[in-house]
Amino acid sequence: MGSGLLGSLAAWVAANPALAVLTLALAPPLAAVALVRLLGRREVAQPEPELQPPVEAAAEPPTPEPQPEPPRPVQLRDRLARTREALVGRLGGLLGGRSLDADALGELEALLFSADLGVRTADDLLQSVRVQASGGDAAAVQLALCDAIRAKLARVESAEPPLAGPPHVILVLGVNGSGKTTTIGKLAARHARAGRHVVLGAADTFRAAAIEQLEVWGERVGCEVVSGQAGGDPAAVAFDTLKAAVARGADVAIIDTAGRLQTQKPLMEELAKIARVIGREVEGAPHETLLVLDSNTGQNAISQARLFTEAAQVTGLALTKLDGTAKGGVIVGLADELGIPVRYVGVGEGLDDLRDFSANEFVEALFDTE
């Protein structure tokens, strides 16, 4: 049977030589495919690996935004630049390489009289320089002038008085435009930062704008403002202010007043009435009477101070707008002629720009000896 199969196969090859060659050529790859399929059926199917979620990179912390630098505190030296130029800066040019002789003294006298010091104060300073620096150079003259001004200012340097009351009552005076209401706002902010409860009284009823301005400051500082109708009785507003301060348990009450200077008598009568009214409501009130003066007015500030001190018992001065004026020397004249304690100087518009007055700081800034 086997031989017959082989014979048949041989006969088929002889009859189909070309097909036999093709069959022989395809036999090996077909056998390989069949073998692979056979082995594949025997392998145990393996589960496909689970897909793992991609690992997220750790989030980088956000880059902090650059913080603005805090504003640089206003320097008194900067605010006295023009005054320093007008007074001290001209000394070197006045003397040059000369010593202080009679001619130089005459020129120095003219310089001092033009510096808004006041006639009496300028003459006193000139005498001090003549005694201490006669025959000396510009440096000796400057040192003598510096010492003489320091001595005058030291006499009016005053620490903040202890609080009376409560409430501690501060009556604030000054002409319109002197910076009186702004000074009240800054003073209220100082007390508020010290943890004190402050009530403001808008007793400048002759100007509706004054009432509105004080209310703006009250909102800004966080203080209650007691006000009345424009044109109303200032003493009545002062009375209501103290009533509210006592009822609220306030530590400090600051009362604004009108700044009219038409004639002396009405001003004196009005201020005297306010003082009587608040004195009846709070024992010893007003505990402070602060006069606000604009340094830009020069010698007019001294005239205003004389008038107000006749109308009220002024206990302290606040010199405002000391922000580049060439008339800052008026503070020396005020100290010398009136002898009233200088409590504050205003060097800018910010809440922190009402500074305690220091004679040494003022002189060092004026003569640039810091």
Side-chain angles (χ1 to χ4, degrees), residues 153-161 315 341-343 356-357:
L153 294 178
R155 291 198 292 267
V156 296
E157 191 177 58
S158 174
E160 186 175 17
T315 61
V342 180
R343 292 289 310 284
D356 292 324
F357 173 71

Short mmCIF file of all heavy atoms in Angstrom, two decimals, residues 153-161 315 341-343 356-357:
data_model
loop_
_atom_site.label_atom_id
_atom_site.label_comp_id
_atom_site.label_asym_id
_atom_site.label_seq_id
_atom_site.Cartn_x
_atom_site.Cartn_y
_atom_site.Cartn_z
N LEU A 153 14.73 126.98 71.36
CA LEU A 153 13.74 125.93 71.13
C LEU A 153 13.63 124.97 72.32
O LEU A 153 12.55 124.44 72.58
CB LEU A 153 14.08 125.15 69.86
CG LEU A 153 13.99 125.93 68.55
CD1 LEU A 153 14.38 125.05 67.36
CD2 LEU A 153 12.57 126.47 68.34
N ALA A 154 14.74 124.75 73.00
CA ALA A 154 14.70 123.84 74.15
C ALA A 154 13.77 124.34 75.23
O ALA A 154 13.19 123.55 75.99
CB ALA A 154 16.11 123.64 74.70
N ARG A 155 13.57 125.65 75.31
CA ARG A 155 12.71 126.21 76.35
C ARG A 155 11.24 125.90 76.11
O ARG A 155 10.42 126.00 77.03
CB ARG A 155 12.92 127.73 76.45
CG ARG A 155 14.28 128.13 76.99
CD ARG A 155 14.29 129.57 77.47
NE ARG A 155 14.15 130.51 76.38
CZ ARG A 155 15.18 131.07 75.73
NH1 ARG A 155 16.42 130.76 76.07
NH2 ARG A 155 14.98 131.93 74.75
N VAL A 156 10.87 125.57 74.87
CA VAL A 156 9.46 125.32 74.57
C VAL A 156 9.20 123.84 74.23
O VAL A 156 8.09 123.49 73.83
CB VAL A 156 8.96 126.21 73.42
CG1 VAL A 156 9.02 127.68 73.83
CG2 VAL A 156 9.75 125.97 72.15
N GLU A 157 10.21 123.02 74.36
CA GLU A 157 10.01 121.59 74.13
C GLU A 157 9.16 121.03 75.26
O GLU A 157 9.42 121.31 76.43
CB GLU A 157 11.36 120.88 74.08
CG GLU A 157 11.30 119.46 73.60
CD GLU A 157 12.70 118.86 73.51
OE1 GLU A 157 13.40 118.84 74.54
OE2 GLU A 157 13.09 118.44 72.42
N SER A 158 8.15 120.25 74.91
CA SER A 158 7.20 119.79 75.94
C SER A 158 6.78 118.36 75.67
O SER A 158 6.42 118.01 74.54
CB SER A 158 5.96 120.69 75.95
OG SER A 158 4.98 120.20 76.82
N ALA A 159 6.83 117.55 76.70
CA ALA A 159 6.34 116.17 76.59
C ALA A 159 4.82 116.17 76.61
O ALA A 159 4.18 117.12 77.09
CB ALA A 159 6.88 115.32 77.72
N GLU A 160 4.23 115.10 76.09
CA GLU A 160 2.78 114.97 76.09
C GLU A 160 2.27 114.89 77.52
O GLU A 160 2.76 114.08 78.31
CB GLU A 160 2.36 113.71 75.32
CG GLU A 160 0.86 113.57 75.15
CD GLU A 160 0.50 112.37 74.29
OE1 GLU A 160 1.35 111.50 74.11
OE2 GLU A 160 -0.64 112.32 73.82
N PRO A 161 1.33 115.75 77.88
CA PRO A 161 0.84 115.74 79.27
C PRO A 161 0.04 114.47 79.56
O PRO A 161 -0.52 113.86 78.64
CB PRO A 161 -0.04 116.98 79.33
CG PRO A 161 -0.52 117.19 77.93
CD PRO A 161 0.62 116.75 77.05
N THR A 315 -2.30 126.15 75.48
CA THR A 315 -1.31 125.36 76.23
C THR A 315 -0.27 124.71 75.33
O THR A 315 0.71 124.17 75.83
CB THR A 315 -2.02 124.25 77.03
OG1 THR A 315 -2.72 123.38 76.12
CG2 THR A 315 -3.02 124.85 78.02
N PRO A 341 4.61 126.16 74.75
CA PRO A 341 5.18 124.85 74.38
C PRO A 341 4.80 124.45 72.96
O PRO A 341 3.64 124.58 72.56
CB PRO A 341 4.56 123.89 75.40
CG PRO A 341 4.26 124.75 76.59
CD PRO A 341 3.85 126.08 76.03
N VAL A 342 5.77 123.99 72.20
CA VAL A 342 5.53 123.48 70.86
C VAL A 342 5.35 121.98 70.98
O VAL A 342 6.27 121.26 71.36
CB VAL A 342 6.70 123.81 69.91
CG1 VAL A 342 6.41 123.26 68.51
CG2 VAL A 342 6.91 125.33 69.85
N ARG A 343 4.16 121.51 70.67
CA ARG A 343 3.84 120.10 70.88
C ARG A 343 4.09 119.26 69.64
O ARG A 343 4.62 118.15 69.73
CB ARG A 343 2.37 119.97 71.29
CG ARG A 343 2.06 120.55 72.67
CD ARG A 343 2.66 119.69 73.78
NE ARG A 343 2.32 118.30 73.59
CZ ARG A 343 1.12 117.78 73.87
NH1 ARG A 343 0.17 118.54 74.37
NH2 ARG A 343 0.88 116.49 73.67
N ASP A 356 5.93 114.51 67.30
CA ASP A 356 6.27 115.24 68.51
C ASP A 356 7.44 116.16 68.22
O ASP A 356 8.41 115.77 67.54
CB ASP A 356 6.66 114.27 69.63
CG ASP A 356 5.48 113.43 70.11
OD1 ASP A 356 4.35 113.96 70.15
OD2 ASP A 356 5.69 112.25 70.43
N PHE A 357 7.37 117.37 68.74
CA PHE A 357 8.45 118.32 68.49
C PHE A 357 9.64 118.01 69.38
O PHE A 357 9.51 117.78 70.58
CB PHE A 357 7.98 119.75 68.76
CG PHE A 357 9.08 120.76 68.67
CD1 PHE A 357 9.64 121.08 67.45
CD2 PHE A 357 9.57 121.37 69.82
CE1 PHE A 357 10.68 122.00 67.37
CE2 PHE A 357 10.60 122.29 69.75
CZ PHE A 357 11.16 122.61 68.52
#
